[in-house]
Amino acid sequence: MRRNLLPVMALLLGTLFLFLGNGLHGLLLPVRGAAEGYSNEVLGLLGTTWAAGFVLGCFVAPKLVVRVGHVRAFSTFVALILVNALLTGIVVDATWWVALRVITGFCTAGTSMIIESWLNERATNESRGMIFSFYISITLIGVVAGQMLVGAFDPATTILFMICGIVYGFAIMPTLMSTAATPQPLRSIKLDLPLLYRNSPVSFVGILMIGIANGAYGTLGAVFGSRVGLDPSTIALLLSVTIFLGAIMQFPAGKLSDRIDRRYVLAALSALAAFAALAMVAITPSDPLWIFIFVGIYGAAANALYPIAVAHANDFAKPDEFVKVSGGLLLLFGIGTIIGPTLGGPVMTAAGPYALFAVTAVAHLLISAYAIYRSRTRAAIPAEDRENVPNLPISASPMSSTPEGLSLDPRAAPLPEQDELDDTHPMEARP
């Protein structure tokens, strides 16, 4: 383990600080915005514009990295994120916040792609499962720890914005000080939606709906908490609990989906998430305990759906198409994440904060109904012919990673040998 992880410890340390800042800033903005009296529509746009910037970054960032190099690009991206975090604390204005979130999402995609390509460069076929697990675990720990910091200080002051800047500053240092060779050029990303639908209609529709539901709750969950009277520390705990329960649920759900038709598991989990969401709408609990119970059930079911939907798509794909199919689904999830907050904000304004869960319930009911329908029209791949879902932790959000990082997943095709990489992709000189 030491031999496999020591060469990438600097990158993993920088990743920890990067996602610590992402978790803190991503929750701080809706909490502070709600306290400032910003409308639900504006607060929803904070998530919409971030997701739009992230998806754009997956397409454009590789071209920028080719022009200036990995180290300079990484430092520039993180510096821009740092400046944006400080500006949102200095300029408390809804219009500026929405505009700056586009840049932050774009730069987050760029930094993630650089980190993931660097990890790919250092990984071997024997070690990439371990490196992948550590990478996803670090993103999970970083986001949750960052969210929990929101309750440590008053969000109405500039202290938390300053802490964001400090944390992002630390994220730059390990990579700049690393002596590891810079990696091969980033892959260009292509999104072939008709191909994705033909490969697996259930995964196509399911991933889009998962993106809508997760985007709505991920952006506006903090706004919901604020609107129903929860304090910032309780809001942070509520969002963190849903992430952890989703990570835990992935293991039994993944094992079950290896034994039976994955569409039945998707339908059952989606129905459970819809039930918990509809219970929130119908009961409108004011007691924090009941909010935690219903939202916990919702988070456990909803956050376990994505990897099963990806696994189902890859059941019908060729063995060497994992990165192409999964990368396309990840970008499709990003499109859903753009739609979700845009819908959720106006619905909350029209029908109250609990109506947020009506949006997620509709999305999950559509997944459940369509999965059952498709199970009647297309036979499942026999269990013995499917790739098992590996016992790996999920990220805090699918969009915590990029298509570049999918090569680390043990389900992807074997990595080329290092001497082959050296012959085909000469390393750039470090600045």
Side-chain angles (χ1 to χ4, degrees), residues 204-294:
F204 183 98
V205 173
I207 291 292
L208 181 63
M209 292 297 109
I210 293 168
I212 291 173
N214 287 15
Y217 177 76
T219 299
L220 296 168
V223 180
F224 161 80
S226 179
R227 299 288 192 245
V228 299
L230 301 181
D231 61 80
S233 59
T234 304
I235 294 172
L237 181 60
L238 181 67
L239 297 184
S240 298
V241 164
T242 60
I243 293 174
F244 271 120
L245 290 178
I248 293 171
M249 177 62 81
Q250 185 199 1
F251 298 112
K255 285 297 184 183
L256 182 61
S257 75
D258 289 337
R259 294 184 174 90
I260 66 174
D261 191 334
R262 298 197 204 277
R263 291 170 293 191
Y264 294 150
V265 181
L266 284 171
L269 286 174
S270 297
L272 180 59
F275 167 79
L278 290 173
M280 286 288 291
V281 176
I283 300 173
T284 61
S286 57
D287 185 342
L289 176 61
W290 284 106
I291 292 176
F292 269 84
I293 291 173
F294 287 127

Side-chain angles (χ1 to χ4, degrees), residues 85-319:
L86 294 178
L87 279 177
T88 52
I90 297 171
V91 183
V92 182
D93 179 81
T95 303
W96 276 101
W97 281 15
V98 170
L100 291 174
R101 289 300 279 172
V102 178
I103 300 173
T104 299
F106 181 94
C107 293
T108 299
T111 55
S112 296
M113 295 182 81
I114 291 171
I115 289 172
E116 290 161 0
S117 67
W118 231 317
L119 293 176
N120 264 321
E121 194 71 34
R122 306 303 300 176
T124 64
N125 289 308
E126 293 74 24
S127 66
R128 67 174 174 174
M130 180 187 300
I131 292 174
F132 181 81
S133 294
F134 268 80
Y135 172 65
I136 297 301
S137 297
I138 281 175
T139 65
L140 176 69
I141 293 169
V143 168
V144 171
Q147 290 178 341
M148 296 306 296
L149 281 175
V150 172
F153 299 94
D154 184 3
T157 68
T158 59
I159 294 177
L160 288 171
F161 292 97
M162 295 169 66
I163 292 175
C164 280
I166 294 171
V167 170
Y168 283 130
F170 280 120
I172 302 176
M173 296 178 188
T175 304
L176 287 177
M177 297 299 293
S178 174
T179 59
T182 53
Q184 59 183 309
L186 300 182
R187 296 174 181 83
S188 59
I189 306 301
K190 295 182 180 180
L191 182 58
D192 189 341
L193 293 180
L195 175 63
L196 289 175
Y197 184 81
R198 290 194 301 269
N199 175 71
S200 174
V202 167
S203 293
F204 183 98
V205 173
I207 291 292
L208 181 63
M209 292 297 109
I210 293 168
I212 291 173
N214 287 15
Y217 177 76
T219 299
L220 296 168
V223 180
F224 161 80
S226 179
R227 299 288 192 245
V228 299
L230 301 181
D231 61 80
S233 59
T234 304
I235 294 172
L237 181 60
L238 181 67
L239 297 184
S240 298
V241 164
T242 60
I243 293 174
F244 271 120
L245 290 178
I248 293 171
M249 177 62 81
Q250 185 199 1
F251 298 112
K255 285 297 184 183
L256 182 61
S257 75
D258 289 337
R259 294 184 174 90
I260 66 174
D261 191 334
R262 298 197 204 277
R263 291 170 293 191
Y264 294 150
V265 181
L266 284 171
L269 286 174
S270 297
L272 180 59
F275 167 79
L278 290 173
M280 286 288 291
V281 176
I283 300 173
T284 61
S286 57
D287 185 342
L289 176 61
W290 284 106
I291 292 176
F292 269 84
I293 291 173
F294 287 127
V295 173
I297 295 172
Y298 169 81
N303 289 331
L305 290 171
Y306 182 85
I308 297 175
V310 172
H312 177 68
N314 283 287
D315 288 341
F316 294 94
K318 296 178 181 179

Side-chain angles (χ1 to χ4, degrees), residues 121 182-185 416 418-428:
E121 194 71 34
T182 53
Q184 59 183 309
Q418 189 62 43
D419 56 353
E420 182 181 340
L421 283 175
D422 292 340
D423 292 338
T424 59
H425 296 288
M427 300 298 177
E428 70 178 53

